[in-house]
Each structure stands twice: as structure tokens, then as C-alpha cells.
Amino acid sequence: MDQILEVRGLDKSYAGFALRGVSFSLPRGYIMGLIGPNGAGKTTIIRLLLGLARPDGGEIRALGLDISTNGAIVRSRIGFVHEAPSFYLHLTVAGLASIVARFYPHWDATVFRRLASEFQLPLGKRVYALSRGMRTKLALALALSHDAELLVLDEPTSGLDPVFRRELLERLAAYIQDGNRSVLFSTQITSDLERVADYITFIQGGQLVFSTTRDEVKDRWGLVKGGLELLDEGRRFFRGIETSAFSFTAVTDDVEAARRRFAGREVVVERASLEDLMFYLSRARAGAATGEGEGSPPGRGRDS
Amino acid sequence: MTDYALEVTGLCKSYRGFALRDVSFRLPRGYIMGLIGPNGAGKTTVIKLIMNLVRRHSGEVKVFGLDNRAAGREIRSRIGFVYDFPCFHEDASLDDHRRVIAPFYPRWSEEAFERLLREFELPRDKKFKALSHGMQTKFALVLALSHDADLLVLDEPTAGLDPVFRRELLQRLSALLQDEGKSVLFSTHITTDLERVADFVTFIRNGEIAFSLPKDHLLETWGIVRGDERAVAALDGETRKGLRRSPYGVEVLTSNVDEARRRSGPGVVVDRPSLEDIMVLMTGEGNRAR
Amino acid sequence: MLGNLIRLDLLLGRRVLALNGFLFTFWFAFFLWMGGPDVSVGGYIVLTSVMSVFLPVTVIVREGKFNAAALTCSLPVSRREIVRARYGLSIGLGSCLMVVAITVGLLCPWSHLAVAKLVAPKALLLALSMIVLEVALLLPFLFRFGWIGIIVLLIVLQLLGIVALTLTRLLGHGTAFGLGIKALANALRSLYANLGDPIFVAVWAAVLVLVTFASCALSTWLYGRRRV
Amino acid sequence: MIGLLLKDLKVGALFLCLIGLIYLPIVVQFVAFGHDAPLFLASIALAASLVASVLAVEWRVDADRLLCSLPVSRTSIVRGRCLAILAAGAISLVLWVCGGLVGDVLVGHVGRGTPLWATFEGLVGFCLTIVGLATLFMPCYFRFGIGKGSAIFALLLIPLASAEAWGSVLVLGGASGSASPGAAAATVPGGLVRYVISQAQQELGAVGALALFTLAGAVLLWASVALSIRFYENREF
């Protein structure tokens, strides 16, 4: 199974933020969801992938090519949708398409016209008159009209109503049907991920927490809740711990081991939705981040 | 008579191919109302009319019992607003915005502003345009929550925010209501947020109010009937709120789930709808072949 | 409340103010240098007043760029107060820049302007009148159309000027147009001459106040209807 | 690269009409009163405002993020932009000469001597000025963006322009005796440039001078583009 996208040891630092050693890979024919709290680095990764910024360290290989040397060739087979798509506002939809068409070797005008009619995008309408949802549809139509093998979408569903969100996710699922194309999309709405994503990559504070298949996240990751005295025993397989006065809630990436370890004790080990995982991992991170050591009560001291 | 934080009656507005027709709903004081609807249904227009940023053709908006045109100033000093469209001076820093906006609000609290700025981890001296979309929304929330507003009008406050912060924001909003009797009107596309905190839900669809009901009542009395064409035909039209054909059969949204259970024959499944299901069924064209 | 609004525009637009202020001052000096000896005090004042009014306009127009008008209108202020504050700001800023223009006229080594005439009350009154008239003319366009309105107004005025010039040249000076232009030029000259005696000044001041209030009312009506 | 040039032309088409509308009356006005020098300046200003309007649109819609996501290298973006600036210069040159011609026919020549747009010095001077401005502007724009970039360009331009003006006073002043700063400026701010061109024309003849200036222009542009590419490579969006 060849990898359409490989990211190895990615480093990038700005004032007050740093991406450290992020590595993940996306096989051909699958959808990967990229999730993480605001400012975790999702958009930075996408900007590095599209060549908008240069990494300080590490390597990104897309479609078998290293993007630092042949970025243009790679981008000719990537379809992108930015978070708030930026277009020339005073041009019409058709005018904008004719400009973008000139850059893509495999541009197909009939595909664009078909998508425009399916998305109810009037070709004669000026871009400034389009609402936010319509601009995302326009960006998607542009991305799907040049035979792209990899779609890179930065929060495409934010600001879209549930009806169109479902439509968009169905279209992404259809896009990877032939097993030759893949999608990487970042989102804050975890229910979208649970509907279509095959792989899930969780970035937090510039570091990779996990990058596995959705089923593995569902089966192996969970929450362990118990009394404080049991905390040290399970520390080995806890990836994030949040404690309060008497009890702790910990995120674990090996639910079976935790169950075996705490069998018979009054410890609750349960499956967790993505949102719950993110909730506790961020809270635990907040605790750790303020330097009070792992497992200390978070800054706000409110037990969940 | 219960006193209402917000009363909108008979609001009409039309311009370039879009029209609000006779929009009416009421938000009692001390509750949260969710405003949902597809893109372009008119949610932002309703909010702009409440804040009197846009002229209306007819209709009346009363906030805290005062007409929002006559007593605009008094009302706006007690409203906290967050807009979905950009409206901040991008080349000015966050502190500049505070220094400029604070004097307008009689009940502005510097201490609340500082605390929220710290909690939301916002850089005070950075230019507004240097912030990410999520952080910009957080700053708008900080301004809205810093002057002890009695009514919060939020247009998609959670768009672009991560689930962790969203959950905390919703907890903060519901905490706000318990003790001080404030009210919140917020429009959103993330229906799971609404299911968590909203007391009332108003659904607006191409310029008209489809319904404005208490959330619990809505989720208890409405139901989705899934089955084949014949079984669905048994339900009479009045309670049918939405229909969607799919390869597996027909899904009908009904406003009276008990009656639907009684009247539906075998081979029909009746279950509880989520807000998203309600939206999808009421927005999709009647017979959109999939 | 007006003070807060003026402070809002000044504080948020301070960078634009500084940059444009510097550029305008440089432009005054450059104009004097290009003009050389044949620049009259009246001409200098009229031209610099036209430029000075554009400083407040650039500060106010900034809001359109970020469509921050929605923010200002959502604050607990009425649109009437916003319009009044902007008029005050425009006249104030315009007058300050006129003072700068006059000092540039005095201090510039290559300026040939008669110092006595430049600082005479007549000149100062002419400067103030020009500022007030231009503000009264420009601001309704600014409130109704935003920065596009100003550009459209500029193009229209320029075209009118050119049409008048070419017509007078082609049709000769005797025709209606020739007289029209000459009348306008004479009116300005006579205004400048009459500013000396106090009675005329009193009447003229009343006219200016009336014009400002009329323009302010018009702007309030226009801005009230504007979709922010 | 050509795609980028066509894009800039398509984006700029609207502004070409708008600014052309403002430029036309100015030409008629200056030709009617025989002011050659201001017309020269107005034509340069036309080119500058054309470029500025396209770049303003690019800034307003954050187009860099769109362009750099397209399958095109940063080098060709810089070269495409350089071509667009030269195209704006060419358009202004054409408008200047046509304006002058039309003005002459309509109104009849008023000024003394042949008008600037008809002389060898005038034309070459115009092209050199455009190339000079482009050479200075591009590195500033590609390093600092439109906002700070144009401010720095203005700061660099003021000393250069005044040095050139003083130069023309010293050189021409010496030659024409009683030149006060005002009088020298009345000729053409590019006084020194025109003087250099006319000297070169006398020594090398028209063709030789043209070849020399074309070479000089090409070297200047090449250096400016190379520097801009290095700056733009490190820019992040």
C-alpha cells in the first residue's frame, strides 16, 4: 500500500509556537481527519504541505516527490481549499475559473461546469456576492476540476449548515471510491470525522498525540476514572491525566491493559468519543503546560 | 405575564433576491435560544435587524420591553454582540480596541476583561489580523462578556472553535444564566452544541420561521418515521414536517410521534430525531432522489 | 459620547494620520517649490485646503476597508452622534492641517508668499471657509457611498472642470460657459476681498454654520438608511 | 509566467478603465496649456497607479496565499509580476504618446519647440524612469508586502529624486546661467536623465544610445528580479 503523503519529523517554529517532530503518513485511497485544539498547528501543517511556508526541519513527501524541491509539480496534482477561501472578489465565478484553469495541466472545464451547476453556483455571479458557504463550494469545485489525486482541505465545513456538510462529506467519500485518491482535511467538528474519516491524526500544542485508524481509536483509546490512590499503578499506559480532589480521569491508549490492570477495583474504564478524548487530553495538557507537573489539578481547578 | 428579553414580531425585509417574511419569535428572560437554519436562510439578517444595523420594511423588535429604534442607545448598552462577519479594525491591536470601546459601556468592568483575556490566552498587544480565526472569535466574546450585558446576541460564536473551548464556552453561557437572569440568542450550525445548552430552538428557512419551540418539547414530541412509501402515506399531512426519499425508503419527520406510532403499520421504524436530522429533513427538497 | 467617537477614529487611525500628515506636509513644500514665484496666497490657501480635507477623509474611510462600521453602529451610540462626531473630526483635522500648510508657507526657504498677507485674518478666514465648505460637500458622499463615493465625486468634478475648460476654449469666451466659469472665479476673488470687513464676515459665518448643519442633517438621513 | 501576466491584466482590466478615465482629462488639460513636463509626470503616475491598484486588490483579497498554493514556483510569480509592471509602463507610454498626438490635433501645439513625447530623449527618458522605479520597487514589495514595502519605496525614492533634481540644477544650472531651483524644475524633473540621454545620443548616435540604455535597463531589471526572488522565497503566507 503506497503512501500518497509522508510527513517525517516536521519542525517549524514561530514566535510563541513550535511544531516539533510531527510524523504521519496517509495511504492512497483513504480519508484522514486532522484534529486538534485552536492554535495546535493544524493550519501550519497544511501551509507547509502546500509550500506556503518552509519547514525548519523534517521532510514532506507527497505523491512520491519531495515538496521542497518540486513543489510546483506536486501542487499540480493537489486540490486545496483554505479555511476562509480568498478569491478576486470583483471577478465572476467563470472569470476566476478561467484564471485558475491556466495553472493546472489537467484542468477540465466540463467537470467544472458540471460541479458549478450541481453546487448551484451561477457562473455569471460576482465572487463578492457569494456567501461563505458558496465560496467554500466554489473552492471545492476548483479543487475537483483538475484531476487532483490528493485533496487538502483546511476546515472546509466550518460555517456550513448540516445539510451541505453531509453533502460535502458524501462527495469526499465518493471522491476516494476509486482507491487511487486521498483526502486530508482538518476540522473542529468531530461528528464529521466519525462519519467519513478512515484515519485520524490528533495534533496538540505542536506535537503529534496519535495518528491511527478510526477503529483503532475507537477500540484502544478510552477513559479511566478512579480514586487518586490508584493513579501511580496505571501511569504506564496513561497518555493524559486530570485529577481533582479525590479522583482522577486519565486518557489511555490501551483500554484492554487498563481493564486487566484494574480488574476488580472500583475503577471505571470506558470507551470515549473523540470529543471527550480531546477534552481530557487538552485539560491534562493545560495542567502539564503550567509546569505543575503531570496529574496536578488544571489551572481552573474545576473537576469535570 | 412573563417578561421577555427579546420580542420580534412581524419582521419583514427584502433585498436582492432574498426576503424575510413576517419573522416572529420571543425569548423569555433567563433562557438560551438557538437560532438554526441553512446558509443564506436569513439568520445574520435577523441579528442585524435586532441590532438595528439594517433598515426593516415592517415589523417591531422590542428588547427588555423597549423598542430597538426608539431606545437604541439604552438597549445596545446592555447587549453583548459577536458577529460572524469581520467587523474589527484589523490593523489595530487588541488593547487599542479595548481603550476605544470601553468608554461606551457604562457597566464596563476592566477586571472582567483582564480575567477573560488571560483565560482565553489572547495576546494583548498583537494586531487583530495576526490572530487565527478561532482567536478572533474569542476576542469578540471577551468584549461581549466584559460589560455585564443582559442579552448576548451571538452569530455563530462557535464556528472555527475547537470542541474543548466550545464545551467550556457553553458551560460559561449556561452558568451566566443561572445566577443573573441574563438571556442568550445564538445562531449556530453545530446542532450538538444546541442540544447541550439551548432551552428554545428557532428554525428559520429561506426567510420564514419554520418553528420556534422549547427544545425539550421539540425532541420529545417530534419523531422520524422510516419505512416504505405505503406505510408513510398513512400519516396525514398536518403533522408531516419534512420528507426525504433515499434508496432505502422514505424518511418522514412528524410533529406528533405518539400518533405516528399508533397509526403506522408493520415494517415502519419510529425513533427520536436529533436537531441535525430535523434540519436535514426540513431543508432538503421534498423528493430529492439520492 | 461625541468625545468617545472622535477618540475612536483618532486612536485607531493614528498611524494613517501620521503617515498622511507627513506626506501632505511634504506635498505642500513640493507644491511651493514647483510653483515658484507665481503662487498667490489665495491660490495656495484654496489648493492646500482641498488637500487638507482629505486627511480626515482618509481616517474615516479606513472604517470602510475593514467594514468596521458594523462595530461602531453596534455600540450604544445613535447614528446622529456618529455623523456629528465625524463632522467635528473633519473640520478639526482639516483646520489643523491648514495651520501646518500656512506654517510651511512661512518657513519654507523657497516659498515666495508674502508673509503679511499669508497670516492676515482674511487669509485665515478664507482657509476656514474653504475647509467648512469642502467638508459640507464631501461628507454626505462619504456617508452614503463610502470611499467609492469620494473617488466617483473626484472623477465627476475633474470631468466637469475639463468639459468647462475645453468648451470655453472651443466656443470662445463670450458664450454662457465662458461667463459661468468667469463668474465662479470672480465669486471666489470677491469672497476673498470682502473677508476684510466685519459685517460681511458675520453674515458669512452664519451662512457657513447653516451650510454645515444642513449637510450634517443630510448625512444623518443618508447614514441612517445605510446598510452596515 | 505568462499565465501570471494574463492574470494581472485580467485583474487590472477594471482599474485600467477607471484610472484611464481620470488620466484622459489630464492629458487634454496639459496639452491644451502646453505643459510638457507635468504631462510626463502624469503618465509616470498613471503607470504607478495602475500597478498600485492591482497590488492593492492582491493585498485586499490575500491573493498571495492563493497564488502560492497554485502549481507555480515563486520564481515565476516574481517574473510574472515584473512583466505586469513593464506592461503597465508600456500602456502608459502608449497613452502618453497618443494623448499628446490627439491633443496636438485637437488643440494645436502651444508650447515652444517639439513636445517631449516626440523627442528621442523624452521616450527613452520615460522608459528609463519606468525601469528605474520598477527596479527600486520590486525588492521592497516582495520583501515587505504592499503596506510596508511601498512606505520603504517612498522613503528610498525621496532622497533619490531630490539628489537627481539637485544634480540637474548643478549640471543644467551651470549651463543655463541664472537657474534658480524653481526655474530648473520647470523644465523636467528628469533634467539630469534627459541631459545624459542627449549626451549619449550625440556621441554614440541614436542606435548606439538605444542599445546602451536597453542593456543598462536589462541589467537593472535582472538584478532587481534576482533580489526579489530571493526575498519572496523566504516569505510565508
Side-chain angles (χ1 to χ4, degrees):
Chain A
M1 172 166 62
D2 64 43
Q3 306 290 358
I4 201 169
L5 172 68
E6 289 155 288
V7 175
R8 288 201 207 89
L10 200 58
D11 291 329
K12 176 73 186 177
S13 50
Y14 292 107
F17 169 78
L19 209 61
R20 277 192 298 277
V22 172
S23 303
F24 61 89
S25 63
L26 171 58
R28 222 174 251 280
Y30 290 94
I31 294 182
M32 171 181 276
L34 191 59
I35 58 171
N38 283 109
K42 303 193 297 298
T43 304
T44 308
I45 291 175
I46 287 181
R47 281 173 46 220
L48 291 171
L49 171 56
L50 289 174
L52 293 176
R54 294 151 75 90
D56 300 342
E59 188 204 17
I60 301 179
R61 296 184 67 81
L63 308 155
L65 301 167
D66 182 346
I67 66 155
S68 56
T69 45
N70 19 41
I73 300 163
V74 168
R75 282 196 295 275
S76 69
R77 286 148 65 198
I78 286 185
F80 64 89
V81 174
H82 289 302
E83 185 197 348
S86 52
F87 298 121
Y88 294 103
L89 300 177
H90 64 297
L91 297 181
T92 63
V93 169
L96 186 66
S98 70
I99 283 185
V100 170
R102 220 181 303 284
F103 292 102
Y104 287 103
H106 306 294
W107 177 266
D108 182 341
T110 48
V111 167
F112 179 76
R113 266 196 300 280
R114 178 173 52 78
L115 285 173
S117 65
E118 266 175 41
F119 288 168
Q120 288 126 23
L121 274 171
L123 288 176
K125 200 166 188 181
R126 298 278 168 186
V127 173
Y128 63 73
L130 296 179
S131 72
R132 180 189 177 118
M134 299 294 271
R135 284 188 199 178
T136 306
K137 289 183 187 177
L138 174 57
L140 195 66
L142 291 172
L144 290 169
S145 299
H146 57 85
D147 192 18
E149 287 173 45
L150 172 63
L151 277 187
V152 176
L153 316 173
D154 190 3
E155 292 201 33
T157 55
S158 89
L160 296 184
D161 63 67
V163 177
F164 181 69
R165 258 212 318 269
R166 267 193 199 180
E167 212 181 293
L168 177 67
L169 298 178
E170 281 159 17
R171 201 168 281 280
L172 292 185
Y175 175 76
I176 61 161
Q177 275 319 320
D178 69 358
N180 194 12
R181 301 188 284 204
S182 310
V183 175
L184 170 73
F185 80 103
S186 87
T187 183
Q188 300 286 15
I189 304 165
T190 46
S191 59
D192 291 352
L193 284 184
E194 272 143 6
R195 187 169 280 132
V196 273
D198 305 313
Y199 288 79
I200 292 177
T201 301
F202 185 144
I203 306 285
Q204 186 174 18
Q207 284 174 313
L208 181 73
V209 179
F210 60 74
S211 175
T212 59
T213 65
R214 179 154 54 95
D215 306 334
E216 197 176 310
V217 172
K218 201 176 278 180
D219 301 341
R220 294 197 47 236
W221 284 73
L223 289 182
V224 178
K225 294 179 181 158
L228 269 183
E229 67 288 358
L230 301 171
L231 184 57
D232 300 333
E233 287 174 47
R235 201 176 281 281
R236 214 162 9 76
F237 21 73
F238 286 162
R239 294 295 295 275
I241 298 167
E242 195 218 350
T243 59
S244 61
F246 316 102
S247 67
F248 72 87
T249 312
V251 175
T252 173
D253 59 351
D254 193 345
V255 176
E256 294 318 322
R259 246 196 208 102
R260 277 198 307 280
R261 188 75 189 72
F262 290 109
R265 311 263 204 104
E266 357 72 28
V267 162
V268 170
V269 180
E270 57 189 15
R271 294 264 180 284
S273 78
L274 267 177
E275 198 165 304
D276 294 334
L277 285 183
M278 278 181 70
F279 188 74
Y280 289 107
L281 279 172
S282 305
R283 300 294 287 273
R285 176 115 183 96
T290 49
E292 294 142 31
E294 206 179 9
S296 62
R300 283 180 292 289
R302 244 191 334 198
D303 52 358
S304 43
Chain B
M1 194 269 280
T2 62
D3 74 23
Y4 290 99
L6 172 67
E7 293 157 276
V8 174
T9 40
L11 214 51
C12 293
K13 162 97 189 163
S14 59
Y15 56 95
R16 50 177 166 76
F18 170 77
L20 275 186
R21 281 184 293 278
D22 195 13
V23 166
S24 305
F25 59 89
R26 290 199 298 222
L27 169 58
R29 181 186 287 270
Y31 290 94
I32 295 185
M33 172 180 275
L35 187 60
I36 55 174
N39 283 102
K43 298 195 297 298
T44 302
T45 310
V46 166
I47 284 180
K48 278 191 172 182
L49 284 167
I50 291 171
M51 295 298 289
N52 206 13
L53 298 180
V54 156
R55 282 171 52 75
R56 70 198 74 165
H57 292 301
S58 66
E60 190 202 34
V61 175
K62 288 172 94 77
V63 184
F64 317 127
L66 307 162
D67 177 83
N68 83 336
R69 273 181 296 197
R73 214 142 83 90
E74 160 62 13
I75 287 173
R76 281 197 292 277
S77 69
R78 294 162 61 192
I79 291 186
F81 58 88
V82 170
Y83 294 137
D84 174 34
F85 50 88
C87 69
F88 284 92
H89 294 259
E90 282 160 16
D91 61 353
S93 74
L94 304 192
D95 205 45
D96 281 346
H97 281 92
R98 174 192 58 79
R99 283 186 13 229
V100 161
I101 288 174
F104 286 99
Y105 288 103
R107 299 207 300 248
W108 178 271
S109 132
E110 205 50 48
E111 179 270 336
F113 180 83
E114 295 301 334
R115 182 169 46 78
L116 286 167
L117 213 59
R118 229 182 9 266
E119 254 171 52
F120 291 178
E121 294 148 8
L122 292 171
R124 160 194 299 278
D125 297 322
K126 244 186 169 173
K127 285 212 165 59
F128 189 80
K129 66 174 186 289
L131 268 59
S132 71
H133 176 62
M135 309 254 265
Q136 288 178 349
T137 312
K138 287 182 188 177
F139 179 64
L141 282 164
V142 167
L143 288 177
L145 295 168
S146 296
H147 57 88
D148 191 18
D150 294 335
L151 169 66
L152 288 179
V153 175
L154 314 172
D155 189 3
E156 294 230 26
T158 55
L161 295 183
D162 62 70
V164 176
F165 186 82
R166 272 213 310 272
R167 194 180 288 194
E168 278 159 19
L169 170 65
L170 297 176
Q171 280 166 354
R172 188 185 296 276
L173 286 182
S174 42
L176 201 70
L177 298 188
Q178 259 57 32
D179 43 35
E180 284 138 58
K182 301 200 189 299
S183 326
V184 177
L185 169 75
F186 81 105
S187 94
T188 185
H189 283 313
I190 304 165
T191 48
T192 48
D193 291 350
L194 282 186
E195 277 155 6
R196 192 171 283 137
V197 273
D199 304 313
F200 291 86
V201 174
T202 301
F203 180 51
I204 183 167
R205 182 180 48 180
N206 48 51
E208 283 173 6
I209 295 286
F211 60 76
S212 178
L213 299 165
K215 181 193 70 176
D216 304 333
H217 168 75
L218 179 71
L219 295 181
E220 271 143 25
T221 59
W222 286 38
I224 293 187
V225 179
R226 287 195 181 81
D228 52 26
E229 200 74 39
R230 186 184 41 71
V232 158
L235 297 168
D236 66 42
E238 196 276 328
T239 63
R240 180 189 302 202
K241 291 293 178 185
L243 176 128
R244 184 159 176 251
R245 280 187 178 71
S246 62
Y248 324 105
V250 171
E251 285 171 355
V252 170
L253 179 69
T254 168
S255 60
N256 188 336
V257 69
D258 307 332
E259 191 239 341
R261 270 214 181 80
R262 274 200 315 281
R263 304 228 343 229
S264 57
V268 162
V269 172
V270 177
D271 54 33
R272 283 273 172 280
S274 75
L275 273 180
E276 184 168 326
D277 298 331
I278 291 177
M279 267 197 76
V280 169
L281 282 166
M282 290 186 80
T283 315
E285 291 76 25
N287 39 30
R288 175 153 31 141
R290 181 48 61 198
Chain C
M1 201 45 73
L2 289 189
N4 290 339
L5 278 166
I6 293 179
R7 187 164 159 276
L8 180 142
D9 282 333
L10 285 179
L11 202 135
L12 291 180
R14 60 184 185 280
R15 278 180 216 86
V16 169
L17 210 57
L19 179 69
N20 286 343
F22 166 72
L23 283 181
F24 277 27
T25 316
F26 169 75
W27 190 253
F28 294 148
F30 183 72
F31 173 73
L32 275 176
W33 182 55
M34 281 287 281
D38 51 27
V39 173
S40 73
V41 168
Y44 178 71
I45 286 184
V46 166
L47 189 90
T48 47
S49 69
V50 169
M51 285 199 260
S52 302
V53 167
F54 275 93
L55 183 64
V57 166
T58 52
V59 171
I60 298 171
V61 143
R62 255 178 80 301
E63 191 176 63
K65 198 163 66 171
F66 307 119
N67 67 50
L71 177 69
T72 318
C73 294
S74 304
L75 297 172
V77 273
S78 70
R79 302 242 175 143
R80 173 189 304 279
E81 281 160 337
I82 294 176
V83 169
R84 287 225 178 96
R86 296 251 158 94
Y87 268 78
L89 177 75
S90 304
I91 293 174
L93 269 182
S95 315
C96 293
L97 205 60
M98 276 312 292
V99 167
V100 168
I102 289 170
T103 39
V104 163
L106 293 174
L107 301 182
C108 245
W110 53 72
S111 128
H112 301 275
L113 297 173
V115 171
K117 278 177 69 179
L118 190 57
V119 192
K122 244 175 20 162
L124 303 180
L125 273 174
L126 176 67
L128 186 62
S129 331
M130 289 308 292
I131 291 285
V132 168
L133 287 176
E134 279 147 28
V135 163
L137 173 70
L138 273 182
L139 255 56
F141 278 87
L142 187 62
F143 278 115
R144 178 65 185 85
F145 301 106
W147 59 278
I148 302 164
I150 298 295
I151 290 186
V152 165
L153 181 68
L154 272 180
I155 295 180
V156 165
L157 285 180
Q158 195 131 21
L159 286 182
L160 280 178
I162 298 309
V163 164
L165 276 175
T166 37
L167 278 180
T168 47
R169 172 172 290 281
L170 295 181
L171 303 177
H173 290 278
T175 61
F177 254 98
L179 297 179
I181 298 301
K182 218 183 254 81
L184 186 65
N186 291 347
L188 265 178
R189 248 181 246 105
S190 64
L191 166 70
Y192 182 42
N194 292 343
L195 275 177
D197 67 67
I199 308 126
F200 177 84
V201 165
V203 167
W204 179 244
V207 166
L208 284 185
V209 167
L210 199 67
V211 161
T212 308
F213 270 100
S215 170
C216 202
L218 174 64
S219 297
T220 307
W221 185 71
L222 288 171
Y223 199 54
R225 305 172 61 78
R226 181 148 178 219
R227 194 159 54 81
V228 173
Chain D
M1 189 166 57
I2 301 303
L4 281 158
L5 173 62
L6 294 178
K7 174 205 58 93
D8 276 348
L9 291 182
K10 188 182 253 288
V11 167
L14 175 74
F15 298 98
L16 179 58
C17 314
L18 198 64
I19 294 169
L21 205 61
I22 300 178
Y23 177 72
L24 214 55
I26 295 177
V27 170
V28 172
Q29 197 173 22
F30 283 141
V31 169
F33 293 95
H35 293 311
D36 255 352
L39 184 55
F40 177 90
L41 275 183
S43 311
I44 298 281
L46 169 70
S49 45
L50 274 179
V51 170
S53 54
V54 172
L55 298 186
V57 166
E58 302 264 320
W59 170 75
R60 183 79 178 79
V61 298
D62 191 8
D64 283 310
R65 189 173 62 156
L66 172 68
L67 282 182
C68 296
S69 308
L70 293 172
V72 64
S73 68
R74 301 268 175 119
T75 309
S76 34
I77 290 180
V78 171
R79 288 197 184 124
R81 184 56 39 83
C82 174
L83 280 181
I85 292 176
L86 294 183
I91 292 171
S92 324
L93 179 64
V94 165
L95 279 180
W96 175 42
V97 172
C98 299
L101 278 175
V102 164
D104 246 13
V105 165
L106 260 182
V107 177
H109 187 66
V110 172
R112 24 179 172 45
T114 55
L116 203 56
W117 46 264
T119 61
F120 176 78
E121 290 158 357
L123 296 174
V124 172
F126 186 92
C127 300
L128 273 184
T129 314
I130 291 285
V131 165
L133 290 178
T135 311
L136 186 63
F137 177 72
M138 281 200 292
C140 300
Y141 169 68
F142 283 110
R143 174 69 185 78
F144 300 103
I146 182 87
K148 238 191 284 172
S150 31
I152 288 165
F153 168 68
L155 289 180
L156 292 178
L157 195 61
I158 290 171
L160 268 178
S162 40
E164 193 271 342
W166 281 112
S168 65
V169 163
L170 293 179
V171 169
L172 294 181
S176 64
S178 67
S180 71
T187 52
V188 156
L192 187 63
V193 172
R194 284 180 56 246
Y195 177 73
V196 166
I197 297 171
S198 56
Q199 291 299 54
Q201 191 187 7
Q202 275 150 23
E203 266 113 31
L204 309 165
V207 174
L210 201 58
L212 172 72
F213 290 122
T214 318
L215 183 66
V219 164
L220 271 177
L221 275 182
W222 178 82
S224 174
V225 164
L227 186 60
S228 303
I229 289 173
R230 218 160 59 77
F231 283 150
Y232 201 57
E233 292 283 349
N234 303 326
R235 282 282 300 279
E236 293 186 354
F237 305 100

